[in-house]
Amino acid sequence: MEPLLKLNQLKTIFSTEKGMVTAVDDVSFEVYAGEMVGLVGESGCGKSVTSESILQLLNEKTTNYEGEILYKGMNLLSLSEEQMREIRGNEISMIFQDPMSSLNPVYTIGNQIAEAIMIHQKVGKKEANLRAIEMLRLTGIPSPEKRVHEYPHELSGGMRQRVMIALALSCKPQLLIADEPTTALDVTIQSQILELIQELREELDMGVILITHDLGVVAEVCTRVIVMYLGQIIEEADVKTLFKSPLHPYTKGLLKSIPHLDGDRTQKLNVIKGVVPSLQDVPSGCRFAPRCDFATEQCRENPPELLELVNGQKVRCWNYEHILREAKDHAVTTSENK
Amino acid sequence: MDAKPIYSSEKIVLNQHQYNKEQRFLLFKRILSNRLMMFGSIILILLTMVAFLAPIIATQDPLAINATARLQAPSSEHYFGTDNLGRDLFSRVIYGTQASMVVGISVALISGFFGMVIGLYSAYNRYLDHMLMRICDGLMAFPAILLAIAIMAALGPKTVNVIAALSFVMIPTVARVIRSAALVVKEQTYIEALKSQGASGIRIIWVHIAPNTISQLIIQLTYVFAISIIIEASLSFLGVGIPAPDPSWGNIIYEGKAVIYNAWWMTVFPGMFIILAVLALNLFGDGLRDLLDPHSKK
């Protein structure tokens, strides 16, 4: 099957006052229709920039793209601004992190959804309004025919995020990019929104890229996970493999730092020591080497390649075999002790 | 007891309606409780009515010269007295109100329109911004009156020219205010969200950024209105504004200047009107700012 979206060695380079900064470096991955892919990593690792690059929402004067973004085999980077506008919202849509500021305060929500519909489809105002009500109903907003006349400030955060989803899906896009759609919401609303995205994905057979730093969310809804660190993909695997046998020390660290409900409360939570270095001084070898427990001389000097294993798992690490063996030994010894 | 469920959707909608009504009532109450703003609004309404009804209110022809009744003190026949040509001062001040209001409103509308266009585009486009804002800086470097005098000297004294000159002088100020307001709006997530939905730049500027800057525009325009009344009076006083014999507050004071020791009424009455108009506009503008700007809510 041909992938819906295929990033081919995408590089996003910002020209800043201090020189060129490569925020996204050699990122390649695929998204298939009907699939939900998780994109995880710490703040500043390039998750959002990757998604904004796909839609080319970044300031065009200071941003340079390299590589290819193939959508249904068509390179988005070679399209004109006009053609790109046709894609945005219509083919590829995006949900933003903060529902509080993602809607224009001076228009009713119905107006805003109808506008999005009228940008892409030749329909009248009346038809668009009806479709807006339909979209709101789809996202589970109660009595949508009354809600369409309300302004964003009259809605709660969860409701606004539903409106944002209705807005993003109003033209039935093939691909949805959800940039931390639940970060600003509380936990109960969070699960409702995720469930909603999940349902709509199935119903519309969309591909979804879910950007998040919450591994719990990923485990729950995604089929495949891509872990990013400092602008690079460092590990990619299907959800089960990643949570069962993570290969990259960074992924291991991330998984260890999740607090468990039944965990030992006297023990301190595991942390990955150090901070993400600035993009201006990227380490010369492996980007994670300064913070890695397993780092060797080789790691500090030569940047590793993203290797694909037999089971389809991809990892960017010199020592993954060693780490894998150690994990197995550990598993063996613990089972022996029992 | 009636066993109807309390939270039926009908009831909630009803409550919503009630809520909207209450909100509107609260806003109205806030306006009423702002005494200074009420005072300003009432004076403004009165002045506007005076301007509209000038032909009815004026007791005599403001241009009719009566050589036998020169420089008469205020009386029951001439409420504000007469000027050095025997014209009825009351009628002249009333017609002067009309002139000032016309100039003030026209300048506010014209500079508001162009200021908005320039401000919005310079907020949206960096290259345009550099160009337009340097021009605005250049214009703002001149004192407003001096620049207006220079333009009037070039165009010649005519009411239309006064409006043109004042609008030109006021545009940079309005443009700056709109630009800064638009820059704030531009950084909001909903603008990026709109881009991600495929909205064009023009649509974003006019349909989404512009309405969010309207409140600042309105507040700014009340001040522009007040300042242009003062500058118009100054220009007329200096003889480059509304040309004689048409009355305006400024040129009445100018004519009264020569006889200020014999006929105080010629300077005091139009002066009072200028003070009243500008004071009212400022009070109104301040009140409006308090109402529209959420940060200054008490």
Side-chain angles (χ1 to χ4, degrees), chain B residues 8 20 41 64 94 115 126 129 142 157 176 186 204 208 216-217 227 229 241 244 260 266 271 283 293:
Chain B
S8 71
N20 285 348
S41 327
I94 295 300
R126 242 169 13 128
D129 185 32
F142 295 101
R176 282 237 167 233
K186 197 185 136 195
I204 289 175
H208 292 276
Q216 266 107 324
L217 179 73
I227 293 168
I229 286 182
I260 193 164
M266 270 192 75
L283 289 177
D293 182 4

CSV table of all heavy atoms in Angstrom, one decimal, chain B residues 8 20 41 64 94 115 126 129 142 157 176 186 204 208 216-217 227 229 241 244 260 266 271 283 293:
chain,number,residue,atom,x,y,z
B,8,SER,N,-33.6,20.5,31.7
B,8,SER,CA,-34.0,20.2,30.3
B,8,SER,C,-33.3,21.3,29.4
B,8,SER,O,-33.0,22.4,29.8
B,8,SER,CB,-35.5,20.3,30.1
B,8,SER,OG,-35.9,21.7,30.2
B,20,ASN,N,-27.7,36.5,28.5
B,20,ASN,CA,-27.3,37.6,27.6
B,20,ASN,C,-28.0,38.9,27.9
B,20,ASN,O,-27.4,39.9,27.8
B,20,ASN,CB,-27.8,37.1,26.1
B,20,ASN,CG,-26.9,36.1,25.6
B,20,ASN,OD1,-25.8,35.8,26.2
B,20,ASN,ND2,-27.3,35.4,24.5
B,41,SER,N,-20.8,62.2,26.9
B,41,SER,CA,-21.7,61.8,25.8
B,41,SER,C,-22.8,62.8,25.6
B,41,SER,O,-23.2,63.1,24.5
B,41,SER,CB,-22.3,60.4,26.1
B,41,SER,OG,-21.4,59.6,26.8
B,64,ALA,N,-25.0,88.0,7.8
B,64,ALA,CA,-25.6,89.3,7.6
B,64,ALA,C,-24.9,90.4,8.4
B,64,ALA,O,-24.8,90.3,9.6
B,64,ALA,CB,-27.1,89.2,8.0
B,94,ILE,N,-23.0,79.0,16.4
B,94,ILE,CA,-23.8,77.8,16.1
B,94,ILE,C,-23.3,77.2,14.8
B,94,ILE,O,-23.0,76.0,14.6
B,94,ILE,CB,-25.3,78.2,16.1
B,94,ILE,CG1,-25.8,78.6,17.4
B,94,ILE,CG2,-26.1,76.9,15.6
B,94,ILE,CD1,-25.6,77.5,18.5
B,115,GLY,N,-5.5,55.0,8.1
B,115,GLY,CA,-4.7,54.5,9.2
B,115,GLY,C,-4.8,53.0,9.4
B,115,GLY,O,-3.9,52.3,9.6
B,126,ARG,N,6.4,42.4,6.5
B,126,ARG,CA,7.6,43.0,7.1
B,126,ARG,C,8.2,44.1,6.2
B,126,ARG,O,8.7,45.1,6.7
B,126,ARG,CB,8.6,41.9,7.4
B,126,ARG,CG,8.9,41.9,8.9
B,126,ARG,CD,9.7,40.8,9.4
B,126,ARG,NE,10.4,40.0,8.4
B,126,ARG,CZ,11.7,39.7,8.4
B,126,ARG,NH1,12.4,40.2,9.4
B,126,ARG,NH2,12.2,38.9,7.6
B,129,ASP,N,6.1,47.1,6.2
B,129,ASP,CA,6.2,47.7,7.5
B,129,ASP,C,7.4,48.6,7.5
B,129,ASP,O,7.3,49.8,8.0
B,129,ASP,CB,6.4,46.5,8.5
B,129,ASP,CG,6.4,47.0,9.9
B,129,ASP,OD1,5.7,48.1,10.2
B,129,ASP,OD2,7.1,46.5,10.8
B,142,PHE,N,7.4,66.0,12.5
B,142,PHE,CA,6.9,67.4,12.4
B,142,PHE,C,5.8,67.6,13.4
B,142,PHE,O,5.0,66.7,13.6
B,142,PHE,CB,6.4,67.8,11.0
B,142,PHE,CG,7.4,67.7,9.9
B,142,PHE,CD1,7.5,66.7,9.1
B,142,PHE,CD2,8.2,68.8,9.8
B,142,PHE,CE1,8.4,66.6,8.1
B,142,PHE,CE2,9.2,68.8,8.7
B,142,PHE,CZ,9.3,67.7,7.9
B,157,PRO,N,-6.6,78.1,1.6
B,157,PRO,CA,-7.7,78.0,2.7
B,157,PRO,C,-9.0,77.6,2.1
B,157,PRO,O,-9.6,78.4,1.3
B,157,PRO,CB,-7.7,79.3,3.4
B,157,PRO,CG,-7.1,80.3,2.3
B,157,PRO,CD,-6.2,79.5,1.4
B,176,ARG,N,-0.1,53.7,13.5
B,176,ARG,CA,0.8,53.2,14.6
B,176,ARG,C,-0.1,52.4,15.6
B,176,ARG,O,0.3,51.3,16.0
B,176,ARG,CB,1.5,54.3,15.3
B,176,ARG,CG,2.7,54.8,14.6
B,176,ARG,CD,3.9,54.6,15.4
B,176,ARG,NE,5.1,54.9,14.6
B,176,ARG,CZ,6.1,54.0,14.5
B,176,ARG,NH1,6.1,52.9,15.2
B,176,ARG,NH2,7.1,54.3,13.7
B,186,LYS,N,-1.9,39.2,15.5
B,186,LYS,CA,-1.3,38.3,14.5
B,186,LYS,C,-0.6,37.1,15.1
B,186,LYS,O,-0.5,36.0,14.6
B,186,LYS,CB,-0.2,39.1,13.7
B,186,LYS,CG,0.2,38.6,12.5
B,186,LYS,CD,1.3,39.4,11.9
B,186,LYS,CE,2.5,38.6,11.4
B,186,LYS,NZ,3.7,39.3,11.1
B,204,ILE,N,-7.2,36.8,6.0
B,204,ILE,CA,-6.8,36.8,7.4
B,204,ILE,C,-6.7,38.3,7.9
B,204,ILE,O,-7.2,38.6,9.0
B,204,ILE,CB,-5.4,36.1,7.6
B,204,ILE,CG1,-5.6,34.6,7.4
B,204,ILE,CG2,-4.8,36.5,8.9
B,204,ILE,CD1,-4.3,33.8,7.5
B,208,HIS,N,-10.2,38.7,9.8
B,208,HIS,CA,-9.9,38.2,11.1
B,208,HIS,C,-9.1,39.1,12.0
B,208,HIS,O,-9.3,39.2,13.2
B,208,HIS,CB,-9.2,36.8,11.1
B,208,HIS,CG,-10.2,35.8,10.6
B,208,HIS,ND1,-11.0,35.1,11.4
B,208,HIS,CD2,-10.4,35.3,9.3
B,208,HIS,CE1,-11.8,34.3,10.7
B,208,HIS,NE2,-11.5,34.4,9.4
B,216,GLN,N,-9.7,49.4,19.6
B,216,GLN,CA,-8.6,50.4,19.7
B,216,GLN,C,-8.8,51.5,18.7
B,216,GLN,O,-8.5,52.7,19.0
B,216,GLN,CB,-7.2,49.7,19.5
B,216,GLN,CG,-6.6,49.3,20.7
B,216,GLN,CD,-6.6,47.8,20.9
B,216,GLN,OE1,-7.6,47.1,20.5
B,216,GLN,NE2,-5.6,47.2,21.4
B,217,LEU,N,-9.3,51.2,17.5
B,217,LEU,CA,-9.5,52.2,16.5
B,217,LEU,C,-10.5,53.2,17.0
B,217,LEU,O,-10.3,54.4,16.9
B,217,LEU,CB,-10.0,51.6,15.2
B,217,LEU,CG,-10.2,52.5,14.1
B,217,LEU,CD1,-8.9,53.1,13.5
B,217,LEU,CD2,-11.1,51.9,13.0
B,227,ILE,N,-8.5,66.3,18.8
B,227,ILE,CA,-7.3,67.0,18.3
B,227,ILE,C,-7.6,67.8,17.1
B,227,ILE,O,-7.1,68.9,16.9
B,227,ILE,CB,-6.1,66.0,18.1
B,227,ILE,CG1,-5.7,65.4,19.5
B,227,ILE,CG2,-4.9,66.7,17.5
B,227,ILE,CD1,-4.8,64.3,19.4
B,229,ILE,N,-10.3,69.1,16.1
B,229,ILE,CA,-11.1,70.3,16.4
B,229,ILE,C,-10.2,71.4,16.9
B,229,ILE,O,-10.2,72.6,16.4
B,229,ILE,CB,-12.2,70.0,17.5
B,229,ILE,CG1,-13.3,69.2,16.8
B,229,ILE,CG2,-12.7,71.3,18.1
B,229,ILE,CD1,-14.4,68.9,17.8
B,241,GLY,N,-7.2,78.4,7.9
B,241,GLY,CA,-8.2,77.3,8.1
B,241,GLY,C,-9.4,77.6,7.2
B,241,GLY,O,-9.3,77.9,6.0
B,244,ALA,N,-12.7,83.2,6.0
B,244,ALA,CA,-13.8,84.1,6.2
B,244,ALA,C,-14.5,84.4,4.9
B,244,ALA,O,-13.9,84.2,3.8
B,244,ALA,CB,-13.1,85.4,6.8
B,260,ILE,N,-10.3,92.4,21.9
B,260,ILE,CA,-10.5,91.6,23.1
B,260,ILE,C,-10.8,92.5,24.4
B,260,ILE,O,-11.5,92.0,25.3
B,260,ILE,CB,-9.3,90.7,23.3
B,260,ILE,CG1,-9.6,89.6,24.4
B,260,ILE,CG2,-8.0,91.5,23.7
B,260,ILE,CD1,-8.6,88.5,24.4
B,266,MET,N,-16.6,88.1,22.2
B,266,MET,CA,-16.1,87.5,20.9
B,266,MET,C,-15.1,86.4,21.1
B,266,MET,O,-15.0,85.6,20.2
B,266,MET,CB,-15.6,88.6,20.0
B,266,MET,CG,-16.6,89.3,19.2
B,266,MET,SD,-15.9,90.3,17.9
B,266,MET,CE,-15.4,89.1,16.7
B,271,GLY,N,-14.5,80.3,22.5
B,271,GLY,CA,-13.5,79.5,23.3
B,271,GLY,C,-14.2,78.5,24.2
B,271,GLY,O,-13.7,77.4,24.3
B,283,LEU,N,-13.4,63.0,27.6
B,283,LEU,CA,-14.1,62.2,28.7
B,283,LEU,C,-14.8,60.9,28.0
B,283,LEU,O,-14.7,59.8,28.6
B,283,LEU,CB,-15.2,63.0,29.3
B,283,LEU,CG,-14.7,64.1,30.3
B,283,LEU,CD1,-15.8,65.0,30.8
B,283,LEU,CD2,-13.9,63.5,31.4
B,293,ASP,N,-11.5,48.1,27.1
B,293,ASP,CA,-10.2,47.5,27.4
B,293,ASP,C,-10.4,46.7,28.7
B,293,ASP,O,-10.5,47.2,29.8
B,293,ASP,CB,-9.1,48.6,27.6
B,293,ASP,CG,-7.8,48.0,27.9
B,293,ASP,OD1,-7.7,46.7,27.9
B,293,ASP,OD2,-6.9,48.7,28.2
